Every structure is written in C-alpha cells, then in structure tokens.
Amino acid sequence: MKDSESVADWQPTASIETLRGRARLIARMRAFFAERDVLEVETPVLGHGGSTDPHLASLSVEAVTQAGRERLWLQTSPEFAMKRLLAAGSGPIFQLARSFRDGEVGRRHNIEFTMLEWYRPGFSLDALIAECDALIRQVLPVPPGETRRHRYRDLFRERLGVDPFTTPLGALRDLAAERGGLAMADADRETCLDLLMSLTIEPELGRSGIDVVVDYPAAQAALARRHRDPEDGVEVAARFEIYLQGLELANGYDELTDATEQRARFEQDAQQRQRLELPNVEIDRRLLAALDAGMPSGSGVALGVDRLIQLALGKSSIAEVMAFTTPRC
C-alpha cells in the first residue's frame, strides 16, 4: 500500500484553475507579438553545442543520430538557434521555449522552465526596454507603477558604498563574506559582485514600480556588445535586466554580431571553466557560422514566463503556476 506522500506525488503542483489562468496569460503574450507582426518560431531543445557560460550548468544526453552515438545538449535558452534564423533572414521572431539549467531549484527556479525570448533586428536597446515594459504591463492585472532606470554601478555605490569596477578585489571579498556569511578569500571579482547583487540589491528592486538596470560589467554578458562608460571609460556591457517585486524578470542585450569576437569569448569561457574544474561544454559552431554569414544588428531579450505569471496571478512561488515541477515530473 502506498503512503499518502507517494499517492499525492502524481498530483500537479498548480491547481487546474491556475493552469487556466496561465493559459489565458500566455495567449495574451502571443497576441502582443501578433499585433506587432513578430513571427513565432520553434527551435530544437537539443543541440550539438551548449552554453559555455561558467555561471550556467548545462544538461546533456547521449543519443544515436545519423552520425552515430553523440552527446547533445539540452538548451539553457533558445538563443543560439534563434540567432541562426535571424542570420537566415527571418526578421523579428519570438519563442515560448522549454529551457533547462542544472541545479536551479527553489521558489524562483526549476530545472525545466518556460522562457519567452524575442529578437528585434534594427531595435536599439532602449526600444527593446520599452517593448519589454509594455509586454509586462499587458500581462499584469494591475499597473505596477512607474518604470525607473538605474546604472549597475550606481546601485552598488548607493546601496553598498563600493564601486563594482574600481573597488579593490580584497575589499569586495571582505564585503561579500560579511553579507553572505561565506568564505570568499579566493573568489574572483564577478563572483563577489554576483553574490552582493543577488543578496543585497536585487531583493529591493521593483518594490514600487518596474526597475531597469543597465550597463553591467563587461564580463557578465558574453553575448552582448560592449561600450565605454562615459564617466571614466571602463568597459561595460550593452545589457539590461528588469525587476519587479524583487524578481528578475528579463535579461536583454544589444546583440553581438561579430563572429571573431564571439569565438574569442567562447574560448575564454572554456578556459575559465577549466580553471574552475567545471565540465567542458561544446561550443555551438553553427552559431559561429551563422554570425560569419551575417546576422543583422539588433537587440534581444529573454523573459521568465513562470515568474511573470507568478506575479500576475499573485502566487508565492513558480511551482504554483507550473503543472509539474521537476520533483514531480
């Protein structure tokens, strides 16, 4: 006889009524793009290359293909394949994609999740921020308040009294150890900044409106263009993130289109993964070939569908808006 816990294990983590609400909101998202003549596409979940980003853990499977037994990667986002479509002349495109990231577990995370990703050839980053803001407002049942923009650098100065670009690494390690309660003596600058951002700054963002953060450290955006901070010429990424109620909802880039630069960044990622003793991930060589062929300039953004629906339906975790989270799949 099964115990009560195992009997309940087949049940969905979201109520059926919540799943009906989820379906209505996803239909609203699709209508948003249909009104703007943005093409919906579908790309493979499996690919011969994966994300080399040292901060992302890709999952892989072995499969028998025409080439024999191969290792294929579950995509952490549909980005690479969508960029190949852009290079092939698709024009503006969007996708509601199943994505996978190992180890992502918690109220705001699940190993398998739904990502809304879209690309706008010819759009500036400012234009895409405005469009992303409009989408969020169309999905939410109540206006969230005004939209404000902050430089990443200014947030650290105002809330922590340090400059993320110029404060000595030793001081950042001490502050990160104090705030995180962790040993940070060997941490690099990006690890310290990630911890300080996630623990002390992000939870306060989007509490009285939509907060947009721009001009991230160059090292934190491997697929974005870079430019110089006019204040002192330090290199920053042409990237934004959008926050509401302490949740990161969207991450957008002025997309890098230079194949040579992208190849160099992939190789840097591989070297860093080796130093950190992380598993090697195959570079997506078809993406590089597409960039070589010529991808149009423009901007793209990825938005966490489950998180946005969680906020729209007033739930406390993404499990409450997903049919089955990973523990019950």
Side-chain angles (χ1 to χ4, degrees):
M1 181 177 179
K2 297 179 179 179
D3 59 34
S4 59
E5 183 178 354
S6 60
V7 169
D9 198 47
W10 66 268
Q11 292 275 5
T13 51
S15 71
I16 300 302
E17 183 55 37
T18 295
L19 294 178
R20 292 192 179 102
R22 179 188 177 102
R24 288 192 293 270
L25 293 176
I26 287 177
R28 197 175 296 175
M29 295 177 200
R30 284 194 161 100
F32 178 90
F33 290 107
E35 290 168 2
R36 289 160 173 77
D37 199 26
V38 179
L39 175 68
E40 182 171 8
V41 298
E42 293 179 304
T43 58
V45 168
L46 292 172
H48 284 88
S51 173
T52 60
D53 188 333
H55 301 290
L56 295 179
S58 297
L59 291 164
S60 65
V61 299
E62 284 195 358
V64 177
T65 71
Q66 295 92 329
R69 182 165 291 278
E70 295 187 278
R71 181 173 297 280
L72 299 176
W73 299 91
L74 288 162
Q75 299 301 288
T76 58
S77 90
E79 179 170 8
F80 294 172
M82 291 182 77
K83 286 182 172 179
R84 289 165 60 187
L85 290 176
L86 291 169
S90 67
I93 53 176
F94 82 97
Q95 181 171 185
L96 286 155
R98 302 303 290 177
S99 302
F100 303 82
R101 297 181 182 182
D102 196 12
E104 301 224 347
V105 179
R107 286 195 312 112
R108 302 177 176 186
H109 300 89
N110 193 62
I111 291 173
E112 179 181 0
F113 59 98
T114 301
M115 181 176 285
L116 169 60
E117 192 149 332
W118 74 98
Y119 291 88
R120 284 294 213 158
F123 261 40
S124 67
L125 209 59
D126 287 340
L128 189 60
I129 289 172
E131 185 168 70
C132 194
D133 183 84
L135 172 75
I136 291 168
R137 292 176 183 277
Q138 182 157 316
V139 171
L140 295 175
V142 177
E146 67 174 321
T147 299
R148 298 156 303 201
R149 190 177 298 207
H150 314 268
R151 291 199 312 161
Y152 180 95
R153 187 175 203 173
D154 291 338
L155 288 173
F156 274 79
R157 286 170 167 171
E158 294 164 5
R159 306 193 183 192
L160 291 170
V162 296
D163 188 311
F165 302 129
T166 62
T167 296
L169 178 55
L172 286 179
R173 285 171 171 166
D174 291 343
L175 183 58
E178 174 193 330
R179 296 302 179 99
L182 300 170
M184 302 293 290
D186 297 322
D188 60 19
R189 180 174 291 271
E190 299 314 316
T191 300
C192 293
L193 294 179
D194 282 346
L195 184 145
L196 291 169
M197 183 71 173
S198 63
L199 290 184
T200 65
I201 296 177
E202 286 184 357
E204 302 306 316
L205 293 175
R207 292 298 177 182
S208 57
I210 293 175
D211 281 327
V212 183
V213 182
V214 298
D215 290 347
Y216 279 74
Q220 293 187 20
L223 294 152
R225 293 181 187 270
R226 295 171 180 172
H227 61 265
R228 298 288 178 180
D229 187 319
E231 179 179 325
D232 57 7
V234 68
E235 194 173 48
V236 295
R239 169 190 176 190
F240 71 87
E241 287 200 353
I242 291 181
Y243 291 86
L244 185 59
Q245 297 301 317
L247 279 175
E248 176 205 334
L249 289 183
N251 181 20
Y253 292 167
D254 181 354
E255 300 293 344
L256 180 64
T257 59
D258 186 311
T260 300
E261 175 64 19
Q262 187 63 76
R263 187 177 289 106
R265 294 192 195 179
F266 280 159
E267 290 169 356
Q268 290 168 7
D269 283 349
Q271 292 167 8
Q272 186 176 358
R273 294 186 74 88
Q274 188 173 27
R275 287 195 301 271
L276 296 173
E277 298 182 345
L278 297 173
N280 180 56
V281 178
E282 292 295 325
I283 289 173
D284 193 318
R285 302 189 185 283
R286 289 184 175 89
L287 169 64
L288 295 175
L291 296 180
D292 269 325
M295 189 182 90
S297 297
S299 297
V301 61
L303 182 145
V305 171
D306 308 301
R307 291 183 180 184
L308 181 56
I309 291 174
Q310 173 194 331
L311 292 179
L313 297 182
K315 304 299 182 181
S316 61
S317 73
I318 62 169
E320 295 177 78
V321 300
M322 301 175 77
F324 301 100
T325 55
T326 302
R328 294 198 191 183
C329 62

